[in-house]
Amino acid sequence: MDDEAREHPLARLVRAAERAAERARRTEDLGRSATRDTLREFVEQRFKGRKLVLASNREPYVHAWKGGAITWFRAAGGMSIALDSMASACGAAWVCHGSGDADFAVAGGSGRVRVPPDRPTYTLRRLALSRAEERGYYDGFSNAALWPLCHVSYVRPRFHHPDWLTYQAVNARFAEAIAEEAPPGAVVFLQDYHLALVGRLLKRLRPDLTSVLFWHIPWPNPEIFRICPYKEEVLDGLLGNDILGFHLRYHADNFMETVGLELESQLDWDGLSVARGGHRTRVRSYPISVDFDAIRRQADAPAAGEAARVLRRVHGLEDLKVGLGVDRLDYTKGIPERLEALGRLFEARPEWQGRFTFVQIGVPSRTHLEDYQAVVADIERRCEELNARLAQGRWKPVLLLKGHQDFDALVPWYRLADLCVVSSLHDGMNLVAKEYVAASGENGGVLLLSPFTGAARELEQALSVNPYDIESFAQAFARALDMPLEEQAARMRRMRSRVSTRNIYAWAEDLCRDVVDLAENHDLEGETKP
Ligand code: GDG
């Protein structure tokens, strides 16, 4: 029996309360000040030379052929920006799938390349995956099984044994590459559901490492998770990590309950941890966020204002109210429901015909999978049908802009939109909601937000839209369009204050602090050493 298990229950409660108070204090401290620089400083001071190895399916920098020459670009998204900061500050390595067509022309046989390409500070270790590996590990077990399993969207998860075998094999390749890159005592930071087995494999290969995995999507309740034919292996793989992070306490609780039901283990609900086979995994929540200041600066720059004017002109949106959706074209995002509500709005409030256009920006995603092809076809059909039924002259009710855009090109859209709709059926966090809040000025803009997103817990001043209730969704559209500017500004101010303090660097710093505390404890107690 370990010390925590011997402790008097009251003492345990007191300790749990102290830890909660400490976490709340830290959140406030961090909230005021977290920036790229404070994160860098924190990591430099507290990691004390300890190296960091990151791992994710997607790479932060991609090399590609263009017109006979090799170019590179950055992967979009707030998460890769914060992780890039951490990697730079720690002189780290980052293990990932090399997906660019010129990736190995640059990285060579070792798969190693120094990045950022214009001012190298750390090493990217690219893994070359065959098409069969991608199909089984990425399209198959990750996106046709785990993704629908973890989201309540009524798309049935598909478990194929060969996909599972490939997923295991690719996770083993990641673990081996990480073990090769990690110096003694390094901290390993794993991203997401693609790498669920890596923590356990690493514990076997390299017990000296401290590993943390952040799960970017929801964790379902135990009734749902129990259908997974490989549930024990997946749970055991995750419990190989020292810390498991989720966006919400609710997801963390679901995970603990699932473990309680499926595996022999000891749950500590006060300290939020699971002990199994002499190893303890802390289960914590860290709501992810965006680089508020960078987005605000970009949106406030004169260039964004000019770009917004050009977009209005080019797309025939001058003198119109504009609504916006920005999503990967994924069945969890509630896009068909959004279009249905839009049609209902124009029926119920015909005065908005000719005065309001909804712009849906959609990036095709996971296009090899039938469920994704089906949702894209459904979205296209609905847009065509709405336009065929309602368009008058130059005016259209909906504009579907399909295809990848640079983040720089998204910012003017956020800036010009009078309202932004995030209507996910289920979403771990949803960064688009926070990006819109960061980019829309002090003067207003209305966010319509599904309660089934993690973001809804923080952005309480958004208008709540239930994608399963089309009538009230249409009313929320109308309410947003009718909302006085003062009310918009007041709501937006509160949300901006939240996102600016709880930004992506606060998220990363919170996580790093727990990792460092734990790594220092390992040094003192040898807790997870064999
Ligand atoms: C997963 C979880 C969680 C979109 N279109 C373009 C583009 N985007 C960018 C957005 C945003 C990101 O993609 C989408 O992030 P979300 O959070 O909305 O959704 P997922 O991709 O499903 O992300 C989610 C997230 O992980 C982080 O933990 O919040 O719940 O599902 O940043 O701006 N970016 C560019 N061009 C586009 O056309 N450059």
Side-chain angles (χ1 to χ4, degrees), residues 76-79 147 151 192 214 216-217 247 288 326-328 333 361 363 403-407 410 414 427-432 435:
M79 175 187 77
W147 176 269
H151 288 90
D192 229 352
F214 190 79
H216 288 263
I217 63 176
H247 292 300
I288 203 167
V326 177
D327 307 81
R328 277 187 309 98
K333 302 292 180 183
I361 296 179
V363 205
H404 178 86
Q405 318 228 8
D406 279 344
F407 189 74
L410 281 185
Y414 282 136
D427 217 328
M429 175 53 65
N430 194 288
L431 293 177
V432 168
E435 287 166 4

Side-chain angles (χ1 to χ4, degrees), residues 349-394:
R349 295 281 303 272
E351 71 272 25
W352 284 111
Q353 294 182 26
R355 291 171 56 212
F356 171 59
T357 290
F358 188 78
V359 178
Q360 177 63 53
I361 296 179
V363 205
S365 163
R366 308 172 191 170
T367 46
H368 299 291
L369 299 178
E370 273 176 28
D371 290 315
Y372 284 78
Q373 293 160 9
V375 79
V376 173
D378 187 21
I379 291 165
E380 285 173 337
R381 186 187 55 73
R382 284 171 188 273
C383 288
E384 280 162 21
E385 191 274 324
L386 265 176
N387 286 336
R389 185 156 55 92
L390 297 173
Q392 307 153 17
R394 246 198 117 193

Side-chain angles (χ1 to χ4, degrees), residues 146-444:
L146 284 178
W147 176 269
L149 181 69
C150 291
H151 288 90
V152 180
S153 61
Y154 305 98
V155 168
R156 187 175 169 152
R158 296 166 204 268
F159 300 100
H160 278 295
H161 195 65
D163 291 349
W164 167 242
L165 296 177
T166 310
Y167 183 86
Q168 286 176 292
V170 173
N171 269 241
R173 290 193 57 201
F174 267 91
E176 280 152 23
I178 293 166
E180 281 167 24
E181 301 301 326
V187 172
V188 178
F189 188 11
L190 307 168
Q191 303 301 316
D192 229 352
Y193 62 99
H194 313 95
L195 305 179
L197 309 178
V198 173
R200 172 64 64 208
L201 296 165
L202 272 180
K203 264 290 165 282
R204 291 193 197 118
L205 286 171
R206 292 286 304 276
D208 60 301
L209 304 176
T210 298
S211 76
V212 49
L213 182 140
F214 190 79
W215 190 262
H216 288 263
I217 63 176
W219 189 276
N221 71 40
E223 275 302 302
I224 291 178
F225 194 78
R226 68 196 283 230
I227 69 168
C228 176
Y230 318 107
K231 57 194 170 191
E232 287 175 15
E233 291 92 328
V234 170
L235 291 171
D236 182 63
L238 289 170
L239 290 174
N241 293 290
D242 300 289
I243 298 181
L244 257 181
F246 295 92
H247 292 300
L248 305 182
R249 170 70 196 261
Y250 176 65
H251 300 154
D253 286 353
N254 276 350
F255 177 80
M256 299 264 294
E257 279 175 23
T258 308
V259 171
L261 201 74
E262 302 293 349
L263 285 188
E264 204 160 304
S265 56
Q266 272 185 310
L267 302 186
D268 172 2
W269 280 99
D270 299 330
L272 285 177
S273 68
V274 180
R276 175 173 160 81
H279 173 247
R280 186 174 293 278
T281 302
R282 278 77 176 161
V283 182
R284 298 282 186 270
S285 54
Y286 309 93
I288 203 167
S289 192
V290 298
D291 189 343
F292 180 89
D293 281 333
I295 298 174
R296 180 184 52 77
R297 268 197 307 276
Q298 226 177 321
D300 287 349
E306 182 47 33
R309 273 187 292 280
V310 172
L311 287 175
R312 278 190 180 273
R313 206 170 46 241
V314 170
H315 293 289
L317 301 170
E318 283 153 322
D319 307 321
L320 297 180
K321 287 244 192 191
V322 175
L324 179 69
V326 177
D327 307 81
R328 277 187 309 98
L329 293 174
D330 192 298
Y331 52 77
T332 59
K333 302 292 180 183
I335 304 169
E337 291 76 1
R338 189 180 304 175
L339 295 169
E340 200 177 336
L342 185 68
R344 184 71 195 112
L345 165 82
F346 287 121
E347 256 168 46
R349 295 281 303 272
E351 71 272 25
W352 284 111
Q353 294 182 26
R355 291 171 56 212
F356 171 59
T357 290
F358 188 78
V359 178
Q360 177 63 53
I361 296 179
V363 205
S365 163
R366 308 172 191 170
T367 46
H368 299 291
L369 299 178
E370 273 176 28
D371 290 315
Y372 284 78
Q373 293 160 9
V375 79
V376 173
D378 187 21
I379 291 165
E380 285 173 337
R381 186 187 55 73
R382 284 171 188 273
C383 288
E384 280 162 21
E385 191 274 324
L386 265 176
N387 286 336
R389 185 156 55 92
L390 297 173
Q392 307 153 17
R394 246 198 117 193
W395 177 78
K396 285 181 178 171
V398 61
L399 218 62
L400 175 62
L401 304 180
K402 234 177 78 184
H404 178 86
Q405 318 228 8
D406 279 344
F407 189 74
D408 294 357
L410 281 185
V411 171
W413 280 113
Y414 282 136
R415 183 75 215 206
L416 74 82
D418 298 285
L419 61 91
C420 178
V421 182
V422 171
S423 53
S424 313
L425 306 181
H426 203 188
D427 217 328
M429 175 53 65
N430 194 288
L431 293 177
V432 168
K434 292 185 173 182
E435 287 166 4
Y436 178 62
V437 166
S440 68
E442 289 294 329
N443 300 330

